[in-house]
Amino acid sequence: MNEAEAIFLFAKIWGAIGACVALIFLTIGIERIDEDADGAYVFRPLLIPGILLIWPLVLWRWYILADGKDEWSSRYKPRRTAHHWIAFAMPVAIILVLVLGLSQRQIWPADFVPQQIAPAAQVSQ
């Protein structure tokens, strides 16, 4: 089995597990964690592609919300401990990228001669 076959097999297994999770979650689980989804069947097919891709996150959130372990108040208080470091690192990174990008020179062939492009010939009908 080469790498392409392994990646394709992994994608098929991931999608199959995601399809099972989507089927179970959209038929049984969604009413248990969201009371507004009770009886709302039209929007559920729209959730299938997302559940196919992020099914581990769906299972984790389903587990947390079904058991009542969710601390909803902490979701509204973002952790800002690293913001001052990020606020310093981003401008420095932008300047470094610009300096490194501008410092790279392209080396043209020595025998390269630019040619002027002539306008297209007029076609008479």
Side-chain angles (χ1 to χ4, degrees), residues 10-54:
F10 176 75
K12 285 185 354 185
I13 292 171
W14 187 274
I17 294 172
C20 294
V21 169
L23 178 71
I24 295 169
F25 178 71
L26 294 177
T27 56
I28 299 170
I30 198 163
E31 290 102 359
R32 295 182 182 179
I33 64 168
D34 187 9
E35 61 275 355
D36 293 331
D38 190 24
Y41 299 105
V42 176
F43 82 99
R44 292 181 188 195
L46 299 173
L47 299 176
I48 292 173
I51 294 173
L52 287 175
L53 293 176
I54 60 168

Side-chain angles (χ1 to χ4, degrees), residues 36-104:
D36 293 331
D38 190 24
Y41 299 105
V42 176
F43 82 99
R44 292 181 188 195
L46 299 173
L47 299 176
I48 292 173
I51 294 173
L52 287 175
L53 293 176
I54 60 168
W55 61 267
L57 181 62
V58 171
L59 286 177
W60 177 69
R61 288 297 295 165
W62 186 7
Y63 171 72
I64 295 294
L65 292 173
D67 283 353
K69 296 179 182 177
D70 184 38
E71 296 177 15
W72 62 271
S73 61
S74 66
R75 281 187 279 163
Y76 300 104
K77 290 188 266 181
R79 294 169 184 90
R80 295 190 173 118
T81 56
H83 282 202
H84 61 280
W85 294 108
I86 302 280
F88 177 73
M90 287 300 288
V92 170
I94 290 171
I95 292 170
L96 282 175
V97 166
L98 286 173
V99 167
L100 289 174
L102 293 173
S103 68
Q104 299 298 318

Side-chain angles (χ1 to χ4, degrees), residues 1-11:
M1 175 183 293
N2 60 14
E3 292 177 10
E5 290 174 343
I7 292 170
F8 188 66
L9 179 65
F10 176 75

